[in-house]
Structure formats: C-alpha cells, structure tokens
Amino acid sequence: MIKITDVRKQNFEAIPIDSFWNVGDERELKMHRIHAYPAKFPAFLTTKALEFAETQGLCPEKIADIFCGCGTVAYEARRNNMGFWGCDINPVATLIAKAKSSDYKEKRLEEYYAIILDVYSKQTINKRIFTKANDRLKYWYFEEQYLDLYRLKSSIYASVPKRSKYLPFFLCAFSNILKPTSKWLTKSIKPQVDPNKEPANVLSAFAEQFKLMVKASNESSIADTPEIKIETTDFLATRQKKPTVDMIITSPPYVTSYEYADLHQLSSLWLDFADDYRDLRQGSIGSLHHDYNFDREVKRLNRSGMSIVFNLLDRDKSKAKSVAKYFLDIQKTTQECHSMLSENGMALFVIGNTEYKGIRMDNARHLAESLFDCGFKDVLVTKRKITGKILTPYRTENGCFTSNKSGKKIYSEEFIIVGKK
Ligand SMILES: C[S@@+](CC[C@H](N)C(=O)[O-])C[C@H]1O[C@@H](n2cnc3c(N)ncnc32)[C@H](O)[C@@H]1O
C-alpha cells in the first residue's frame, strides 16, 4: 500500500499491482453463487481486507458494507463471527443478502419446500391472470411460464410465514429462476429479448435452485453469530440512522455505468418492489436519472471531480451533469463513512477507473481526495488485477458496455483505497 501525501501529485496509473489482492487463498463458497448479481466483488477481498486491517493493528468486531449488493461482505462477516451492518437501495440486492447471511436448518428448508410443492399442486390458476398482468412482465414471459410463476409465488407466500427468516430464502430462489424462465437473453445482464429462447420449466428450475441453495447453506453453517443487519435504504438519505462500526469494506457503484433497477426489473416486478421498475432508479448512485441543481451544486466538487466534469462539459453536457452528480454523491458517501467509524476505524473501497469519449474518469483520485477532505488522517492506495470478471469487459467508442472485443478494454485492474480515521 502506498501512503498518499499529495493527491494531486500522485500518479495513480503508476501504482504497481499488489498480487496480495489478486486472488483468494481458498475456493469461493457456493453461497456466493446462489443468485446472479452484477458488479458483485469476489468474496476473498473481504478476507484480504480483514487481514490487511490486522497488519494495521485493527481487529474489527463490527463491520459494514454501505453498498452491500448481494451480501458478499455480509456473509463473510458472519463466517468470521463479526457483527455486520449493511444497506443497499436495491431491494433485490438486500433480499439476496438476507438469504445469504441467515442461518438455515436443512430439515426446516425441506419441510417448507414440501409444503410449497403441495400447495402448488392443489392450486388452480385462472388464465385471465395473464391478461391482467403487468405489461412489462407480459413482455418478458410466455403465458405458460407466467402462470406457473404466479402459482409458485402464491404458494411460497401461502406456505412460509411472512416474518420468518425462511421467506427470503424461498423468495431468493424464486427470484433467481425469473430470468431462465423468461425470454431474457441468457448470457446478457442487460434487458434484451432472445427471440429464439425456449424458457425453462418453472418447477424444474425451482427444484434445481432449491437444491443448490440447500447445498450452499450446508457448506458453512454457523450458529449464534453476532448481529447481522441489512437494510433496504438510500445510504445518503439524511434521516438514515447509521451504527458505529470499526471497519467499512465496500465497492461503490461505478460512475454512470448501468441502471441497477433496470437489470433487476424481473425480480422487482414479480416481488412487488415497484409497479414500474424505473421508479427504483431514484437515488441510485451512478444513475443517469436524477434531479438536482447542477449550477449550484457543481461548486461543491473537489478538484479532481471538477477537472473531469469541466473537461466533459464541452463534449457532452448531459453526461457531465450525471458524472458531477456521481462525484458529489461519492463525496457525501465518504463524509458519512467518516462519521460512522469508531476511533482509529478504517474504510476500504474497491473502485476502478473508466473512460468516456477519451476522457479518463479518475474515480480513484477523486475518492482519495474526498477521503482527505472529510478528515481521514491517512489515505493508502494499491492496485489489483481483476481476474474472471463476469461482466462485459469492453466499451464501444461511445462508452457503452459491450462484449465485442474490438471495443476498449476496461476494468482489467482496480484500486483498493483505504482511509484511516
Ligand atoms: C458495486 S455494487 C456492490 C456489490 C457488492 N459489493 C456485492 O458484492 O454484491 C454497488 C451497489 O450500490 C448500490 N447503490 C447505489 N446507490 C445506492 C445508494 N444511494 N444507497 C445504497 N446503495 C446504493 C447498488 O444497488 C449496488 O448494489
């Protein structure tokens, strides 16, 4: 790790890769694969972060992931017998995170599963339900799969008590079969219909998913762990009360990358998180949809943010506004992190630089400067190589994500940035 003394003079690109952060020392547990989630980071980064904290004399009892996504850090905290607090604005993310970090008894899971199947077999569904369905869902499903999913969802709700920790388990299983049973192009994380797809059978997909999740749950069963709390909320919402923690391990959303709400529309609509999935874009950091006063707020940008935004203004004003909003949100994020940490606490961020229309989005420098500005005593930085990235790793000329190899390669490395309070 390099200790930064002057952000403006620091050449971030020249920072060498530290192989310590590149790969994990053990196989990733199945629990981390129970549900697809874009931008999930590898679980071993949590282990590495905790090892690193120890070298700095920090033995955290309670950790947080303020953008907890599908609960990678939450689950690892549980495995390490640590208290955890996490939040994410996306209800699909927190559903997965809750399912991952709860302790389940196999016998109970099997009992609920049998009841669900029994209820399902006895249910009759009126075909008119499809005619009355949400238009967006009708767009994604054939009638047969839609009706089977509808029946399965009502069977789950009829079988598992509302307040039971077992409900997120079964809803998470349901959520992860929504894509294979739909017309959504299998290999794409983006919403795209595959006209040639034969959607999977609902009950078979559910059975397979259930088996996988039971196996995952048995792989690492830990009882009596300290408190794990996961909230569905906007981290930057001013009324949001946050706990004090010893360490934050997180990966912020990327600058204007993709709309998480759009990627999870099937789950959001099926699970009634929204009538219109686009409503869930609101407040999501990095979204292109926002409402704020650019002329007034832009003055709050730090120097690194300001220079990127002003470079962009000439080429793409609307993009410049979105990027400015992103940087402002990240600045607020670092302030909130600072106030959440206990004395001598530490915040560790995993973040990558990107490029748009030839302009470097120096997210790492911007974040490091933000950490200094809000009072972190020391800021340390290193770089890691990304291996096995499941996302589309290229960008087109216009900066859009693509898997076309002629595009510009991105994210082959990313930064680990640490702020010490
Ligand atoms: C890079 S992902 C984190 C992935 C996570 N590390 C994992 O392994 O699943 C960033 C997350 O930030 C969330 N997010 C975006 N804006 C947010 C906000 N205002 N408050 C809380 N979470 C937010 C997104 O929904 C997304 O899940």
Side-chain angles (χ1 to χ4, degrees), residues 37-41 65-72 87-90 93 233-236 251-253 260 283-285:
Y37 196 77
K40 170 196 171 311
F41 69 21
D65 184 349
I66 55 167
F67 303 119
C68 74
C70 67
T72 311
C87 77
D88 201 289
I89 199 166
N90 178 356
T233 186
D234 177 353
F235 179 65
L236 297 179
S251 61
Y260 287 92
S284 189
I285 297 175

Side-chain angles (χ1 to χ4, degrees), residues 108-121:
R108 206 66 195 279
L109 289 170
E110 297 286 357
E111 282 165 6
Y112 277 130
Y113 182 65
I115 302 172
I116 292 168
L117 292 193
D118 186 49
V119 173
Y120 183 93
S121 69

Side-chain angles (χ1 to χ4, degrees), residues 180-214:
T181 51
S182 74
K183 301 177 197 170
W184 191 301
L185 182 66
T186 302
K187 283 204 175 127
S188 167
I189 56 162
K190 288 185 162 184
Q192 193 180 338
V193 165
D194 176 357
N196 303 316
K197 182 171 164 184
E198 261 190 49
N201 172 280
V202 168
L203 270 197
S204 315
F206 189 62
E208 223 174 277
Q209 176 70 20
F210 175 73
K211 232 170 50 196
L212 176 123
M213 287 177 65
V214 171

Side-chain angles (χ1 to χ4, degrees), residues 57-335:
L58 182 68
C59 290
E61 285 178 10
K62 183 164 184 168
I63 64 175
D65 184 349
I66 55 167
F67 303 119
C68 74
C70 67
T72 311
V73 180
Y75 182 62
E76 290 301 308
R78 211 192 111 205
R79 286 212 309 137
N80 283 286
N81 207 25
M82 286 172 180
F84 176 83
W85 181 87
C87 77
D88 201 289
I89 199 166
N90 178 356
V92 182
T94 51
L95 170 72
I96 311 166
K98 280 178 194 163
K100 259 189 194 171
S101 50
S102 297
D103 183 36
Y104 294 117
K105 303 276 169 274
E106 183 176 357
K107 190 165 165 277
R108 206 66 195 279
L109 289 170
E110 297 286 357
E111 282 165 6
Y112 277 130
Y113 182 65
I115 302 172
I116 292 168
L117 292 193
D118 186 49
V119 173
Y120 183 93
S121 69
K122 290 176 183 148
Q123 256 193 24
T124 45
I125 293 287
N126 188 328
K127 281 195 169 189
R128 280 217 310 272
I129 282 174
F130 184 66
T131 336
K132 290 191 204 150
N134 178 305
D135 283 340
R136 193 69 190 159
L137 285 180
K138 276 203 280 197
Y139 169 79
W140 286 114
Y141 292 92
F142 292 113
E143 182 176 324
E144 180 190 335
Q145 278 77 18
Y146 180 89
L147 291 175
D148 288 351
L149 284 167
Y150 187 94
R151 198 165 148 195
L152 180 58
K153 182 178 102 168
S154 26
S155 307
I156 293 173
Y157 279 118
S159 311
V160 189
K162 206 172 166 199
R163 291 182 181 280
S164 162
K165 67 176 177 180
Y166 285 81
L167 187 58
F169 180 97
F170 286 99
L171 293 182
C172 178
F174 177 78
S175 170
N176 203 40
I177 66 163
L178 293 174
K179 215 162 131 182
T181 51
S182 74
K183 301 177 197 170
W184 191 301
L185 182 66
T186 302
K187 283 204 175 127
S188 167
I189 56 162
K190 288 185 162 184
Q192 193 180 338
V193 165
D194 176 357
N196 303 316
K197 182 171 164 184
E198 261 190 49
N201 172 280
V202 168
L203 270 197
S204 315
F206 189 62
E208 223 174 277
Q209 176 70 20
F210 175 73
K211 232 170 50 196
L212 176 123
M213 287 177 65
V214 171
K215 259 197 195 161
S217 163
N218 287 341
E219 204 175 20
S220 156
S221 171
I222 305 161
D224 294 332
T225 47
E227 196 195 5
I228 304 277
K229 193 150 194 236
I230 293 160
E231 294 180 19
T232 308
T233 186
D234 177 353
F235 179 65
L236 297 179
T238 41
R239 274 175 294 128
Q240 167 64 25
K241 208 166 172 290
K242 289 141 193 146
T244 301
V245 297
D246 307 312
M247 187 171 185
I248 295 169
I249 303 171
T250 198
S251 61
Y254 276 95
V255 55
T256 64
S257 52
Y258 35 58
E259 303 285 347
Y260 287 92
D262 299 20
L263 305 184
H264 297 113
Q265 56 184 283
L266 301 182
S267 302
S268 303
L269 295 172
W270 270 109
L271 297 172
D272 302 312
F273 295 142
D275 289 333
D276 184 336
Y277 69 93
R278 289 168 298 190
D279 295 346
L280 295 173
R281 292 171 179 166
Q282 191 63 31
S284 189
I285 297 175
S287 168
L288 290 170
H289 305 267
H290 41 70
D291 188 16
Y292 80 114
N293 187 328
F294 174 77
D295 294 326
R296 194 180 60 216
E297 298 289 319
V298 73
K299 296 175 200 126
R300 296 183 206 271
L301 280 174
N302 66 22
R303 286 195 193 207
S304 313
M306 191 81 88
S307 99
I308 296 165
V309 168
F310 277 89
N311 249 333
L312 254 178
L313 262 178
D314 291 342
R315 304 192 195 190
D316 186 336
K317 192 162 183 202
S318 135
K319 185 79 173 181
K321 284 184 178 176
S322 299
V323 171
K325 176 77 172 95
Y326 171 83
F327 283 144
L328 289 164
D329 284 345
I330 293 293
Q331 287 173 211
K332 264 195 234 157
T333 298
T334 54
Q335 283 163 14

